Amino acid sequence: MHRRELLLASLGGGLIATARAANATRTLAGTGVAGYTNDGGEAATAQINNPYGLVTGPDGALYVCEIGNHLIRRIDLKRGTISTVVGTGAKGYSGDGGPASKAVCNEPYEVRFDRAGNMFWVEMPNHVVRRMDRKTKLVTTVAGTGEAGFSGDGGPAVKAQLAQPHSIAFDPQGRLMICDIRNHRVRRVDLKTGLIETYLGTGAREATPDGAPIAGTPVNGPRAIDLDPQGNLYLVLREGNKVFRVDPKAGVYHHLAGTGEKGYTGDGGAAKVAKLNGPKGIAWSPEGSAVIADTENHAIRRIDLKSGVITTLMGTGARGDGPDGDPLQCKTARPHGVFIDRAANLYVGDSEAHRVRLLRLR
């Protein structure tokens, strides 16, 4: 079966409707040239710089981390406008206690909102997670000291050391999960008590066996996470070139995708025997899948959680910039960020193409 046919079959639903959806990739922001323009104006013609993590907020807008501009910007999806909500454009680490618009950041990598609508983002080179209060718009650090290291488990998260944190997510209990890459752990912060602990990993750079218990099992380079409403955690291992589902009830790891070897193979077959290359983003989808940014393959791939089959949603495997339209002809350039909303709209931070793209999954 041709890869395009596999894509249509894997997405389910009516063939005509799915075919139309599969031809719907379009640019929401960015011109393909790195820059910082159009704040307050049209998003589609604005220059952005290396978009990474992205998420829709409580207001329905799309929030995008721009690591090249050291900012978080807001795209109004109804009006098609763009504005800056966090950062000054300068690189550094300052501004806690003050307004988000005057906070100085260093490469915000990923952004999320808690149930109350407060914004959280992670700054990997600063080794911290920060928060903007929904009402006051004031910024505070919620985890990390600003210095790389490993310390603090069992104590206040603001006094704990992280080492290149990258991805963040909230579990159903509202606890903050942090991919602590260089510590080869996923840390967990109870935001009610402010205490931090290790949830996954031992610190060892070793393989994660399928079916292994959560306790005492290593994770090699945990780069990206997302959770479904039941609390299952989907984990991407960058160095491990694998994807796992962590079942909190059974307390075990389930291997979903990747052989551990670098490559770009397996479309249309079992995800477990497919090759990935430096995956750096993941999103759970309400249409029954996990979507990954297979970054070094310049592709967005989908793992069907029922059949276990992997397919490519966007990209050709070659680095490039579009064109928009047919997603399987739309080249990308080291995409990092993926997010899927409740309506199964896929948003992609096409990082080195300096664009934010949209693809409807149903």
Side-chain angles (χ1 to χ4, degrees):
M1 187 179 287
H2 190 274
R3 187 172 69 168
R4 182 174 179 78
E5 293 172 334
L6 286 166
L7 170 63
L8 297 179
S10 71
L11 288 176
L15 185 63
I16 294 176
T18 307
R20 287 173 180 166
N23 282 300
T25 53
R26 65 186 180 94
T27 295
L28 295 179
T31 64
V33 178
Y36 178 46
T37 65
N38 277 31
D39 228 39
E42 184 183 58
T45 57
Q47 287 182 328
I48 61 177
N49 192 344
N50 234 318
Y52 268 46
L54 64 180
V55 70
T56 53
D59 58 355
L62 184 69
Y63 292 79
V64 183
C65 293
E66 292 185 41
I67 70 163
N69 285 330
H70 311 288
L71 302 167
I72 298 175
R73 299 175 86 179
R74 177 185 183 274
I75 300 173
D76 188 314
L77 296 173
K78 294 181 179 179
R79 298 182 179 182
T81 57
I82 191 168
S83 57
T84 298
V85 292
V86 176
T88 65
K91 177 181 178 179
Y93 177 34
S94 65
D96 274 9
S101 60
K102 295 185 179 180
V104 178
C105 305
N106 189 354
E107 298 187 2
Y109 269 56
E110 196 159 283
V111 58
R112 292 287 183 266
F113 288 85
D114 67 12
R115 294 174 184 171
N118 302 298
M119 179 195 290
F120 291 72
W121 69 92
V122 60
E123 297 178 30
M124 191 175 83
N126 282 339
H127 315 288
V128 295
V129 179
R130 303 173 82 179
R131 172 187 183 272
M132 180 185 76
D133 185 273
R134 177 180 65 87
K135 295 180 180 179
T136 67
K137 310 303 180 187
L138 300 181
V139 171
T140 54
T141 295
V142 296
T145 65
E147 296 183 6
F150 175 66
S151 68
D153 270 5
V158 292
K159 295 184 178 180
Q161 288 181 308
L162 309 173
Q164 290 190 352
H166 177 269
S167 184
I168 54 175
F170 291 97
D171 71 7
Q173 291 74 40
R175 294 171 296 195
L176 175 68
M177 303 286 192
I178 306 168
C179 278
D180 198 357
I181 299 177
R182 274 180 46 198
N183 285 323
H184 305 286
R185 290 174 164 90
V186 174
R187 314 280 289 275
R188 182 168 66 184
V189 180
D190 186 322
L191 295 173
K192 294 179 180 178
T193 64
L195 301 181
I196 192 170
E197 62 182 350
T198 292
Y199 177 55
L200 304 176
T202 63
R205 297 187 62 179
E206 298 174 0
T208 306
D210 192 14
I214 290 176
T217 297
V219 290
N220 187 3
R223 184 61 181 253
I225 48 175
D226 199 12
L227 290 97
D228 66 22
Q230 287 71 46
N232 294 291
L233 184 147
Y234 300 87
L235 172 67
V236 167
L237 301 182
R238 178 186 63 181
E239 286 85 356
N241 290 297
K242 290 186 177 183
V243 180
F244 286 87
R245 176 174 67 87
V246 181
D247 184 333
K249 293 181 180 178
V252 296
Y253 291 87
H254 296 286
H255 177 214
L256 292 182
T259 65
E261 296 180 82
K262 292 182 180 180
Y264 186 23
T265 65
D267 266 9
K272 289 183 179 181
V273 295
K275 291 182 181 179
L276 312 174
N277 191 0
K280 296 181 177 69
I282 191 164
W284 175 81
S285 173
E287 47 82 55
S289 68
V291 173
I292 60 172
D294 196 356
T295 303
E296 307 308 334
N297 282 328
H298 313 291
I300 307 300
R301 303 177 80 179
R302 175 187 187 271
I303 305 162
D304 188 302
L305 296 174
K306 292 183 179 179
S307 68
V309 171
I310 190 169
T311 50
T312 294
L313 290 177
M314 185 185 300
T316 67
R319 181 187 175 110
D321 179 12
D324 280 343
D326 183 344
L328 297 182
Q329 298 300 318
C330 180
K331 293 181 179 178
T332 66
R334 301 191 71 240
H336 282 72
V338 285
F339 176 75
I340 302 169
D341 66 17
R342 293 180 180 178
N345 295 306
L346 168 64
Y347 302 90
V348 176
D350 193 354
S351 304
E352 294 182 9
H354 310 292
R355 295 181 190 267
V356 174
R357 301 186 192 271
L358 168 67
L359 172 64
R360 296 184 62 118
L361 297 183
R362 65 183 183 202

